[in-house]
Amino acid sequence: MTFKKSDAVVPINIGLTQGLSSAFFAVIAARLGATPLLIGIISSSPYLGNIFAPFWSYLTEKITINKALSIAIFVASIILSALSFMKTPLPFSFLVIAYFILFGAWDVLYPALIDLLYLDLAVNVMARFDEFRSTSYTLIVAFSGLIMGFWGYKTTFLMASATLLISGIIILRSNPKPYSTDLEKTNVITIIKEDSNIMRLVLIFMVAGTGMLMILPAIPILEVNILNLSNAKIGVLLAINNVSYILGMEIWSRYVKNISRLYATFTIGIASIIGMALIYALFPNYLTMIVANIFCGIGESSISFFWQTFSISNPDYRTEDLSSLHLFTCGIRGIYAPLLGALIVSVFNVKADFLLSIAIILISLYLFLLKGRDIFAA
C-alpha cells in the first residue's frame, strides 16, 4: 500500500493533539471543580459538534474539501490555545464546546478527503491512517499526565495546538481529485426516508449510542472523585485503550473483505462495550480497569471501522453524506445521553449509571441480532 508521507503526518498529528488535550478535558474539568452537570456537558461536546456535520458536508459544495477542513482546523487550534489559559470550569466548558464544533469537521470531511486522494485504496488507507493516529495517541497520552503533573495542562494544550496547526497546513496543501461520480448530494432526512436498511441501522445506533454515551460522565467521576487516580494512571489507561483500538483496527481491516462481514464486526464491538461497562460497574479498581479498557478499545475500533467502511463502500451515496448522517445522529444522542447519565449519577451513583447503560446497549444488540444479518446479506 502506497501513500504520501505528508498525508500520513496528518493523522499522526491529530493523535498527538487528542492525546495532549481532548483526552483530558473531562478530567481537567473535574479537577477544576466542575459539577456532574458540567462534566456531562463536556462529555456531550464532541457529539454536539456532530450536529453540524450536515453543514460541513454542505460547505464542500461551495469550497473544496481540503479548504473547508483546514479552515475548521485552524480556528480549532486557536481555541485550543485559549483553553490552556482557563482556570475555572464554566469558561473552560464553553471553549470545549466551541472546540468540538470545529473539530467535528474532521470526522465528516477527512474520510471523504481520503476517498478523493486514494480512490479504490481509500478503505485500507483510512484504516492504516486510523492506526497511525491511534499509535501516536497511545504513545503520547501516557506521558501527557506526567507532563501535566510537572508543568500543568497549559503546556500540553499549547503543544496540541501547534500539532493541530501543522495538520491544517498539510491538508490545505493537499490536492484532492474532483469527483468522477454522478452521485448527487443527498440530505440526511432523504437518506433515511428512502433506504429502509439505513433507517434500521440509524435506529440501532441511536439505541446503542444512548447507552454508550450515558457512561461518559461516570468514568471521570469514578476515576478522579472515587478512586483518586492520578493523571499518570489515567493516561496509562487511555494508552492501553488505544493499543487495543489499534490492534482491533488491524484485525478488522484484514477480516472485512466485503460489506457483509460488517455484521460480525459490529456484534463483537457491542459485546466488548458491554464487558467494559460491567467491569466499571461491578469491579472498579485500577487493575480490572486495565482489562475494561482493552474491551473498550476493541469496541471503539469495531464501531469506528464499521461506519467508515460502510460510508466509503456504499455505492449509492457520497461518502461525506453517509458520514454526516452518522455524525448528525451521533450529535442528537450526544446532547441528551451524557446529561441523562450525569443526572443518574447525581441522583443515584455511578454504578446505577453503568448498569442502566448496559441494559440499553443490550436492547440495541438484540435489535441488531434480529435485523442486522438481513441488512448485510451478501
Side-chain angles (χ1 to χ4, degrees), residues 138-174:
T138 301
L139 292 174
I140 195 62
V141 76
F143 294 101
S144 293
L146 292 174
I147 296 171
M148 289 179 190
F150 285 108
W151 297 292
Y153 61 86
K154 178 180 178 180
T155 302
T156 61
F157 280 18
L158 290 176
M159 292 169 62
S161 177
T163 59
L164 189 60
L165 181 63
I166 293 170
S167 294
I169 293 172
I170 294 174
I171 289 171
L172 183 61
R173 296 176 62 183
S174 65

Side-chain angles (χ1 to χ4, degrees), residues 55-73 105-117 167-168 170-179 318-321 323:
F55 166 75
W56 299 118
S57 179
Y58 168 78
L59 191 60
T60 61
E61 296 182 7
K62 307 300 180 182
I63 59 178
T64 60
I65 287 178
N66 61 317
K67 288 182 180 179
L69 182 54
S70 61
I71 290 170
I73 285 178
W106 167 267
D107 294 319
V108 180
L109 300 183
Y110 189 66
L113 179 64
I114 294 300
D115 195 13
L116 291 179
L117 289 172
S167 294
I170 294 174
I171 289 171
L172 183 61
R173 296 176 62 183
S174 65
N175 187 29
K177 300 177 180 65
Y179 275 109
R318 299 193 313 165
T319 300
E320 58 265 45
D321 291 334
S323 293

Side-chain angles (χ1 to χ4, degrees), residues 3 10 20 24 53 55 173 186 197 222 262 267 291 303 361:
F3 45 78
V10 173
L20 288 165
F24 289 89
F55 166 75
R173 296 176 62 183
T186 309
N197 282 338
L222 175 65
L262 289 175
T267 304
V291 178
I303 293 168
I361 297 171

Side-chain angles (χ1 to χ4, degrees), residues 23 26-27 30-31 36 39-40 43 47 211-229 234 237-238 241 273 276-281 284 289 292-293 296 300 338 341-342 345 349-351 353-354 357:
V27 172
R31 297 197 188 284
I39 293 175
S43 300
Y47 306 96
M212 293 176 195
L213 298 180
M214 283 172 58
I215 294 173
L216 294 182
I219 293 176
I221 292 173
L222 175 65
E223 292 175 342
V224 174
N225 296 345
I226 298 176
L227 298 179
N228 296 315
L229 299 183
I234 293 172
L237 289 177
L238 291 170
N241 185 314
I273 295 293
M276 177 274 292
L278 278 172
I279 292 174
Y280 268 78
M289 288 164 71
N293 276 272
C296 188
E300 288 175 345
V345 171
N349 51 45
V350 294
K351 182 177 180 179
D353 184 36
F354 282 116
S357 299

Side-chain angles (χ1 to χ4, degrees), residues 63-109:
I63 59 178
T64 60
I65 287 178
N66 61 317
K67 288 182 180 179
L69 182 54
S70 61
I71 290 170
I73 285 178
F74 289 149
V75 181
S77 175
I78 294 172
I79 293 176
L80 191 53
S81 296
L83 267 168
S84 66
F85 295 96
M86 296 298 104
K87 301 298 182 182
T88 54
L90 190 59
F92 184 87
S93 301
F94 283 129
L95 282 178
V96 166
I97 292 171
Y99 171 82
F100 278 120
I101 287 174
L102 289 156
F103 192 79
W106 167 267
D107 294 319
V108 180
L109 300 183

